[in-house]
Amino acid sequence: TVSVLYWLATPRVLIAFSSFFVHFLACPVSLMSTAELLAPYAHVASLKSKNLRDAFIDAVNDVVGAPAEHTTRVKGLIAKLHNASLLIDDIEDSATRRRGQPAAHLIFGTPLTMNAANMVIFDALAECIAIDRSTADVAGGAATKGERVGETAVEIFQHELAMLHHGQGQDIYWRDTNRCPTADEYRKMVVNKTGGLFRLAVRLVMVGGDTERLADAVTEKLLAFTNHVSYLFQVLDDLLNLSSSDYHEKKTYCEDLSEGKFSFLTTHSVLAAQATGDTRLLRLLHTRPQEVDVKRFCLQLMSETGTFAHTRDTLATLSAECSTMLDELAAAKMITTSPTTPLAERTLSRDGDDISRSPTGSTTVVPTARLRGFVDRLAAAVPATDPAF
């Protein structure tokens, strides 16, 4: 027995055992099945979606120029976070349906669904760590592309998910306290909440992109456009939630009303009605109505405040503003240089123009055709008339 204990205490054996346990803790997927633990996530991920975020990432990469394998990785990461957020949203909103099927927490229970969502979020964080490692500058040592431009994938991940949860918290707080936000408060919340995943996608693509060819003006204009189009996306979603029969089939009839949510439309209508002393819609939202007749009466109140027409006008304005922003983005000069021209031999002006003496340095307009297509796709989904009630 003493001999065995002595053998177990030798450095070589201790190292072997410690390596085994480190591997076990770090790589649970390889040693134990997690399929049952991730069943709620697998359920929501299996349901058909519009894949709008993939189309957006492809359009962004026309500007950024990242390798295909990098954008594929970013798409997978964003899909994980999006589906994980749906699991949590459905619990927080007491939703019963998602994409036409029962919400995951109704099938698997709330605790397992929450845990599965958190597991996937941490898996997405691991992807960010892998992105930082894969973009390391081997010639220069440990620095990654993200570090060279001031942001790593992990730093971007932390920042945008914090912003997203801040916006989500505001949304929940207003609903649960029945406090109607101002129009400006609502917009800022959306830019945080909905804009979080959009900005995360853009900034992660930039980490793997040809960052040296992008002038600061291009980066700033692209991120400003991203905030604007995310707001357009959310206002459209709010409108469709109350007016689209397709939405009603896949979720429930006017789900935002059942949740007591302050969407773009309910916020506008409550504020407009309160100006005349009418608090009926505000009070009805507080009851979280489930009856179809009550929700139809809410739609009638919203129609009387001109909310649906106002929302269509707002969407038209946002679409036009997005188009103007893309005009400005296309006009911003994008640096293009010969691969044989070392970065150290190039000089950039304050505006990002290549003013090096090298004859191979040049500039070109920013490709925005697919970004315009994305905006057009959203604009085409706007209903032409008020919903029937």
Side-chain angles (χ1 to χ4, degrees):
T1 302
V2 174
S3 298
V4 172
L5 292 175
Y6 179 82
W7 176 78
L8 287 173
T10 58
R12 180 176 297 178
V13 175
L14 288 174
I15 292 172
F17 271 97
S18 63
S19 297
F20 171 79
F21 284 113
V22 167
H23 178 75
F24 179 85
L25 293 173
C27 306
V29 175
S30 64
L31 297 178
M32 56 188 295
S33 173
T34 59
E36 295 86 354
L37 306 183
L38 291 175
Y41 174 81
H43 169 70
V44 73
S46 70
L47 304 178
K48 185 179 180 181
S49 69
K50 297 182 288 291
N51 291 322
L52 282 171
R53 287 165 180 81
D54 282 1
F56 181 70
I57 290 171
D58 286 334
V60 165
N61 199 43
D62 288 345
V63 178
V64 177
E69 58 270 21
H70 178 76
T71 56
T72 298
R73 170 175 271 174
V74 172
K75 287 179 185 178
L77 187 156
I78 295 298
K80 288 177 182 178
L81 290 175
H82 176 56
N83 286 322
S85 72
L86 296 182
L87 295 176
I88 297 172
D89 283 353
D90 286 345
I91 292 171
E92 292 174 338
D93 297 338
S94 300
T96 59
R97 293 171 65 80
R98 171 62 64 180
R99 295 173 179 166
Q101 300 299 325
H105 64 281
L106 298 183
I107 302 172
F108 302 99
T110 296
L112 186 63
T113 301
M114 286 289 294
N115 193 71
N118 290 333
M119 286 179 68
V120 173
I121 290 171
F122 283 114
D123 187 53
L125 174 60
E127 284 287 335
C128 286
I129 295 172
I131 287 174
D132 282 334
R133 288 175 177 170
S134 68
T135 59
D137 184 354
V138 178
T144 66
K145 272 189 178 182
E147 288 169 335
R148 293 199 300 275
V149 299
E151 292 179 312
T152 65
V154 170
E155 290 169 338
I156 293 168
F157 179 93
Q158 183 278 327
H159 179 264
E160 293 300 353
L161 258 66
M163 298 296 285
L164 186 156
H165 282 82
H166 186 275
Q168 177 76 345
Q170 287 181 300
D171 197 13
I172 294 170
Y173 177 79
W174 293 333
R175 178 196 69 192
D176 290 353
T177 59
N178 198 226
R179 184 180 87 75
C180 183
T182 66
D184 186 57
E185 285 175 329
Y186 177 79
R187 180 165 188 154
K188 289 178 179 176
M189 180 276 292
V190 167
V191 171
N192 283 340
K193 177 185 173 181
T194 308
L197 275 188
F198 277 97
R199 284 191 308 275
L200 179 61
V202 172
R203 295 170 72 187
L204 287 181
V205 171
M206 287 179 175
V207 167
D210 185 4
T211 52
E212 282 119 9
R213 77 174 182 166
L214 295 179
D216 288 344
V218 174
T219 301
E220 292 170 3
K221 291 179 186 298
L222 181 57
L223 289 173
F225 166 79
T226 301
N227 284 337
H228 218 69
V229 81
S230 67
Y231 187 59
L232 166 63
F233 180 91
Q234 186 60 60
V235 174
L236 173 62
D237 189 72
D238 289 351
L239 175 59
L240 294 176
N241 188 280
L242 300 182
S243 59
S244 168
S245 58
D246 183 55
Y247 263 52
H248 298 163
E249 290 174 6
K250 292 180 179 179
K251 296 186 177 183
T252 58
Y253 180 70
C254 297
E255 185 181 47
D256 283 352
L257 298 178
S258 301
E259 294 173 8
K261 179 180 179 180
F262 287 105
S263 67
F264 179 85
L265 289 89
T266 55
T267 296
H268 173 270
S269 189
V270 166
L271 293 175
Q274 282 184 326
T276 64
D278 186 350
T279 61
R280 286 178 293 174
L281 180 58
L282 178 65
R283 292 174 181 274
L284 285 170
L285 287 174
H286 193 46
T287 68
R288 301 190 184 184
Q290 304 299 316
E291 299 83 359
V292 171
D293 287 346
V294 176
K295 288 192 273 191
R296 284 176 175 161
F297 180 67
C298 291
L299 295 182
Q300 178 182 330
L301 293 175
M302 296 166 71
S303 180
E304 290 172 0
T305 56
T307 293
F308 296 104
H310 170 73
T311 303
R312 290 193 296 272
D313 290 345
T314 298
L315 287 168
T317 299
L318 289 171
S319 296
E321 289 172 349
C322 282
S323 180
T324 299
M325 295 176 84
L326 288 176
D327 289 340
E328 295 172 354
L329 179 61
K333 293 181 179 179
M334 184 171 65
I335 304 158
T336 57
T337 55
S338 167
T340 60
T341 306
L343 177 63
E345 295 179 11
R346 303 202 303 266
T347 304
L348 305 183
S349 70
R350 285 178 64 95
D351 295 328
D353 295 335
D354 187 346
I355 56 174
S356 63
R357 295 181 180 180
S358 170
T360 57
S362 62
T363 59
T364 184
V365 295
V366 179
T368 59
R370 284 207 282 187
L371 286 173
R372 293 179 189 278
F374 184 82
V375 173
D376 291 342
R377 183 176 175 181
L378 297 180
V382 178
T385 59
D386 291 8
F389 51 82

